[in-house]
Amino acid sequence: MRSETRRDSRLFAETVRTLLRNGFAARFRANGRSMYPAVRDGDEVQVEPTVPESGDVVMVETEEGLRVHRVVGNGTRGDCCFERDSAAEIIGKVSLVNGQAAPRQKLGSKVRRWIARWRGRF
């Protein structure tokens, strides 16, 4: 399932990039289900300009726009996605989801994708 592209997506992306480049955090509502259950559609997410580690939830810039995905190995991918992001640049680390610390990876990626497929959500 692809995320919806809104009319103000370019303005949003430029605002977030500018905030993070200048050392400020950005807060917004998530749109999409690629990070379920760690980040749900409609969750409030805060991104900060810090260096992430493997397993952290991050904001990446891809050819398709900004995405919130997880650092896995030497790339990034949504928790419910099968393929890694191609040519993704990490621009910030997700520090809070709904006012709580961003969730670390708990279940194995294969288990999360199986659950998502089983539920028929993605």
Side-chain angles (χ1 to χ4, degrees), residues 65-109:
L66 297 179
R67 303 283 184 261
V68 171
H69 281 172
R70 187 177 303 278
V71 177
V72 288
N74 59 354
T76 59
R77 176 179 62 211
D79 282 356
C80 289
C81 298
F82 290 100
E83 297 178 10
R84 292 182 186 200
D85 297 321
S86 60
E89 175 189 354
I90 297 173
I91 63 171
K93 177 181 170 182
V94 174
S95 58
L96 299 173
V97 177
N98 293 327
Q100 304 289 325
R104 297 284 298 168
Q105 192 168 8
K106 292 180 183 175
L107 296 174
S109 60

Side-chain angles (χ1 to χ4, degrees), residues 17-81:
R17 275 189 234 106
T18 301
L19 286 168
L20 294 172
R21 263 190 247 125
N22 291 311
F24 295 99
R27 189 176 291 182
F28 57 93
R29 293 243 175 241
N31 181 12
R33 295 178 272 181
S34 68
M35 284 298 295
Y36 181 85
V39 180
R40 292 176 168 88
D41 189 30
D43 280 354
E44 185 178 281
V45 177
Q46 181 170 314
V47 179
E48 297 190 15
T50 58
V51 178
E53 299 173 359
S54 183
D56 285 342
V57 179
V58 295
M59 177 171 267
V60 296
E61 185 166 11
T62 68
E63 294 173 353
E64 297 174 344
L66 297 179
R67 303 283 184 261
V68 171
H69 281 172
R70 187 177 303 278
V71 177
V72 288
N74 59 354
T76 59
R77 176 179 62 211
D79 282 356
C80 289
C81 298

